[in-house]
């Protein structure tokens, strides 16, 4: 496993030729971001964007590649201030978890730096600026890295299949750390003019959103049908520890930690995550329910929680169609990629989401149903053979 870590190399451009790049990532470092809190209070952010026109948000863009890809990451520093780097946290972790190795080179204002590496084993990782980490990470210079398996519907080769995924990156904001002096700092002897002595955050974030902002972001709250296998990617980049509490009905199983499969998956409704850690959780809800995942934000002493966020979970019941045994009718392939072939000369079909929404219908020609336009997930298909109706589950890959 550790041998893979060695694959990660940092090489400045010009030192080597790279015959083939599978994935090009661009991050632009900016100092001009702002975060508007739920009470309207505004703070400055430093952060990363994927394009010049994009707003500077924290977290920055999610970066994604497939295991084995040759990745080229360009960091373009347009921040007008301090130098920045991208530290690929977890992709090169071969140290004890007591410190981040300082492998990066600084990239000054109005210049670019390049990082080349092989995408490691599939999993969830993170990046952050490594210049004055305490200040620049609090400033907002962080984001998620996802490395997919060659088959992106499984967690890793020989791992778990999943239908949907959610990423939750937790952090906090202490407004004192976001004033102009700190965000605009020019490095003096490697230090900004001052670093606050105290860290006492007022805002507790999931993907940069708090409370009702989560709804507005749209990709945080869970809303799925039962029997949807949900992969949660949990990433902590704040200075606090997070205690997650999952509803029992989610059937949460911890399957990997810091990019590595756990030797034995562990069913658990609670999980502590410390700064820099990543966990993957597989959920397999079998009943209809509405509840929330609770995230508590604790100082590292794990005393009383200083903040709490609730992430809504809505699992809808299966549409009430009687699912028949496949006695007279067979079909293949399941999972389906582009079509379903039925053994019967039926007249028509209807495809429903597990929540009961009609998503596609039509007539069946030569026993074939085209499934190309369906999104990945589980569905019910109802076949009208003239004298009877048959309903089946199938999965669209
Ligand atoms: Cu920085």
């Amino acid at each position: 496993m550790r041998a893979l870590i060695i694959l990660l190399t940092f090489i400045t451009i010009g030192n080597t030729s790279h015959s083939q790049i599978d994935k090009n990532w661009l991050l632009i470092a900016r100092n001009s971001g702002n975060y508007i809190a739920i009470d309207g209070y505004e703070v400055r952010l430093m952060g990363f964007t994927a394009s010049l026109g994009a707003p500077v948000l924290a977290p920055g863009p999610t970066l994604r590649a497939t295991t084995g890809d040759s990745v080229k990451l360009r960091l373009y520093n347009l921040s007008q201030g301090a130098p920045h780097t991208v530290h690929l946290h977890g992709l090169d972790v071969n140290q004890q978890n007591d410190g981040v190795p300082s492998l990066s080179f600084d990239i000054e204002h109005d210049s670019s730096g390049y990082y080349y590496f092989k995408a490691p084993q599939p999993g969830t990782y993170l990046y952050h600026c490594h210049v004055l980490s305490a200040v620049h990470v609090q400033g907002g210079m962080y984001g998620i890295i996802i490395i997919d398996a060659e088959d992106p519907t499984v967690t890793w080769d020989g791992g778990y299949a999943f239908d949907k995924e959610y990423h939750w990156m937790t952090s906090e904001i202490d407004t004192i750390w976001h004033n102009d002096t700190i965000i605009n700092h020019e490095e003096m002897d490697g230090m900004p003019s001052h670093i606050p002595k105290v860290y006492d955050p007022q805002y507790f974030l999931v993907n940069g959103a708090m409370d009702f902002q989560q709804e507005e972001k749209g990709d945080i709250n869970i809303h799925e049908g039962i029997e949807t296998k949900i992969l949660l990617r949990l990433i902590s980049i704040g200075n606090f520890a997070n205690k997650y509490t999952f509803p029992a009905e989610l059937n949460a199983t911890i399957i990997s930690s810091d990019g590595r499969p756990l030797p034995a998956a562990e069913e658990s409704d609670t999980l502590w995550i410390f700064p820099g850690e990543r966990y993957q959780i597989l959920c397999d809800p079998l009943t209809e329910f509405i509840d929330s995942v609770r995230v508590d934000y604790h100082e590292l002493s794990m005393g009383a929680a200083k903040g709490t966020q609730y992430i809504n979970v809505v699992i809808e019941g299966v549409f009430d169609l009687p699912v028949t045994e496949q006695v007279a009718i067979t079909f293949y392939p399941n999972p389906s990629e582009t079509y379903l072939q039925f053994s019967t000369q039926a007249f028509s079909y209807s495809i429903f989401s597990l929540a009961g929404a009609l998503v596609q219908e039509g007539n069946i020609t030569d026993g074939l149903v085209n499934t190309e336009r369906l999104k990945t997930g589980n569905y019910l298909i109802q076949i009208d053979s003239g004298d009877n109706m048959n309903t089946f589950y199938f999965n669209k890959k």
Side-chain angles (χ1 to χ4, degrees), residues 83-85 129 131 136 141:
H84 298 292
T85 64
C129 179
V131 174
H136 290 216
M141 305 196 84

Side-chain angles (χ1 to χ4, degrees), residues 10 47-48 55 86 159 168 183 209 293 309 312 315 332 334 349 393:
F10 287 80
F48 296 109
V86 181
W168 297 335
I183 299 293
V293 173
Q309 288 294 295
N312 292 339
I315 302 296
Y332 68 90
N334 189 14
Y349 72 93
Y393 283 112

Side-chain angles (χ1 to χ4, degrees), residues 103-301:
L103 293 173
S104 303
F105 41 90
D106 285 358
I107 295 152
E108 303 292 335
H109 170 64
D110 206 19
S111 61
S112 289
Y114 297 83
Y115 305 85
Y116 296 90
F117 61 95
K118 267 256 192 284
Q121 69 269 29
T124 307
Y125 302 88
L126 67 94
Y127 63 87
H128 66 80
C129 179
H130 200 263
V131 174
L132 287 168
S133 303
V135 171
H136 290 216
V137 170
Q138 170 63 205
M141 305 196 84
Y142 51 80
I144 302 171
I145 297 175
I146 294 171
I147 305 297
D148 287 308
E150 278 176 37
D151 173 358
T153 65
V154 297
T155 52
W156 53 80
D157 190 21
Y160 301 86
F162 60 93
D163 305 307
K164 291 292 183 67
E165 63 170 75
Y166 290 82
H167 339 133
W168 297 335
M169 187 177 218
T170 49
S171 59
E172 314 92 35
I173 283 184
D174 179 343
T175 56
I176 302 285
W177 287 67
H178 293 256
N179 66 40
D180 289 347
T181 335
I182 291 176
I183 299 293
N184 291 340
H185 78 87
E186 291 193 18
E187 258 190 304
M188 295 165 71
D189 302 325
M191 298 292 285
S193 45
H194 73 282
I195 298 179
K197 298 275 183 295
V198 176
Y199 184 66
D200 190 12
Q202 301 84 13
Y203 303 112
F204 301 89
L205 310 177
V206 178
N207 296 357
M210 181 170 176
D211 298 347
F212 60 81
Q213 293 175 336
Q214 292 177 8
E215 203 86 44
E216 294 165 359
K217 282 218 110 178
D219 57 354
I220 297 174
N221 292 328
I222 295 179
H223 191 158
E224 300 293 349
I226 66 169
E227 295 187 21
T228 304
K229 290 198 164 41
I230 303 164
L231 178 66
L232 303 180
R233 301 177 186 272
L234 311 183
I235 307 109
S236 164
I237 188 61
N239 292 318
F240 276 20
N242 298 130
K243 184 189 180 195
Y244 279 84
T245 308
F246 305 102
E249 299 93 330
L250 263 184
N251 293 318
T253 303
I254 306 161
I255 59 170
S256 82
S257 157
D258 290 348
R260 299 190 184 87
L262 293 184
E266 187 188 331
E267 273 179 50
S268 179
D269 294 336
T270 59
L271 174 66
W272 280 90
I273 304 188
F274 288 84
E277 290 187 328
R278 294 94 50 214
Y279 280 86
Q280 294 189 151
I281 314 293
L282 194 70
C283 300
D284 188 12
L286 301 175
T287 54
E288 191 173 7
F289 71 95
I290 296 176
D291 203 335
S292 54
V293 173
R294 177 183 174 131
V295 189
D296 290 313
Y297 297 68
H298 295 255
E299 288 177 306
L300 298 186
S301 58

Side-chain angles (χ1 to χ4, degrees), residues 341-356:
Q341 174 76 58
F342 284 87
S343 63
T344 177
Q345 291 297 323
F347 298 119
S348 64
Y349 72 93
S350 305
I351 296 175
F352 299 92
S353 74
L354 292 194

Side-chain angles (χ1 to χ4, degrees), residues 52-66:
L52 285 173
V56 183
L57 303 171
T62 295
L63 305 175
R64 197 154 195 153
T66 300

